[in-house]
Amino acid sequence: MFLENTFKSANQSGWIEVITGSMFSGKTEELIRRLRRAQIAKQKVAIFKPKLDTRYSEKEIVSHDANYIESVPVEKASEILDKGIESDVIGIDEAQFFDMDIVEVCNELANRGKRVIVAGLDMDYLGKPFGPMPYLMAIAEYVTKVHAICMRCGNLAHYSHRKSTSDSLIELGEKDKYEPLCRSCYLEALKEQNKDE
Ligand code: ZN
């Protein structure tokens, strides 16, 4: 388990933490856990997420287990710099959807003494690095990869597999569209899909 550094000297600089992994791996839960602990330590906390992520609620960070902390939806990464500067700890959820400016924004906040905690998907459903995430992982002091459980074999899951898109007219929830899979089950699933096409 990640244990944060709570000691803070007057001239201590900030740092960046990244929490990443597949869908249903508990990224947001881990982000919330860290932010809650900062709140208990009487630190000022701010949470941001991209505006497009409106799955459940406009204002709150919502994880799949319905834990939530109120968050601020922003359109551009640069808004976090202006709005976050008053806080000690800055949480950013669904970071994979932000523009590349998020990398510089996180650096700038850390340089100004902030603790920045970023959560986001490491890969898209094709298994490719997702948006700014590889850059954020590179510049972070601490990177935590969390894992879901493979829906087919029970091993640790590494991929977010998109199930074959049937022509269903019903709008399905996230849980019906994607499944976390381990490496070998993911490869197997891709083979099956290629056969169907
Ligand atoms: Zn598996």
Side-chain angles (χ1 to χ4, degrees):
M1 186 183 292
F2 183 88
L3 280 179
E4 58 280 76
N5 173 18
T6 50
F7 176 74
K8 208 157 199 303
S9 66
N11 57 359
Q12 188 185 2
S13 66
W15 67 87
I16 301 168
E17 299 164 26
V18 169
I19 304 161
T20 191
S22 69
M23 293 174 85
F24 314 113
S25 62
K27 296 181 298 296
T28 302
E29 287 87 345
E30 176 61 14
L31 174 65
I32 289 170
R33 187 185 73 85
R34 294 186 194 183
L35 293 172
R36 284 252 161 83
R37 287 165 64 84
Q39 283 177 326
I40 292 166
K42 305 260 188 296
Q43 291 170 334
K44 220 177 151 206
V45 170
I47 308 117
F48 301 94
K49 64 173 183 180
K51 209 162 213 167
L52 55 96
D53 181 43
T54 52
R55 263 177 304 183
Y56 306 93
S57 146
E58 266 296 315
K59 263 203 151 162
E60 289 150 349
I61 272 200
V62 182
S63 71
H64 295 289
D65 73 351
N67 265 329
Y68 64 84
I69 291 185
E70 207 168 298
S71 75
V72 183
V74 291
E75 244 156 69
K76 284 187 285 181
S78 54
E79 288 175 54
I80 298 172
L81 203 53
D82 305 327
K83 291 177 176 156
I85 206 70
E86 298 293 308
S87 303
D88 307 306
V89 183
I90 291 136
I92 301 167
D93 200 18
E94 304 284 357
Q96 76 277 359
F97 291 130
F98 276 110
D99 53 277
M100 286 303 282
D101 288 348
I102 192 76
V103 181
E104 202 38 53
V105 166
C106 290
N107 248 340
E108 187 58 32
L109 287 167
N111 291 348
R112 294 195 201 175
K114 312 296 181 190
R115 177 185 175 198
V116 185
I117 314 173
V118 187
L121 285 169
D122 50 1
M123 292 181 278
D124 61 20
Y125 73 96
L126 296 169
K128 298 272 186 302
F130 209 139
M133 291 307 291
Y135 296 87
L136 291 166
M137 288 163 79
I139 63 162
E141 273 88 345
Y142 307 100
V143 177
T144 306
K145 271 225 183 187
V146 285
H147 294 89
I149 299 297
C150 177
M151 293 303 284
R152 299 195 181 183
C153 77
N155 280 324
L156 288 181
H158 185 53
Y159 294 96
S160 310
H161 174 244
R162 184 154 82 176
K163 298 179 194 174
S164 58
T165 44
S166 61
D167 302 332
S168 169
L169 291 171
I170 308 152
E171 185 56 37
L172 296 168
E174 207 169 52
K175 273 222 157 101
D176 306 305
K177 273 187 193 156
Y178 297 93
E179 58 181 349
L181 295 180
C182 72
R183 186 178 290 273
S184 60
C185 292
Y186 179 73
L187 289 175
E188 206 53 48
L190 289 188
K191 266 188 229 158
E192 285 165 24
Q193 271 175 352
N194 287 338
K195 238 184 276 163
D196 294 344
E197 275 165 15

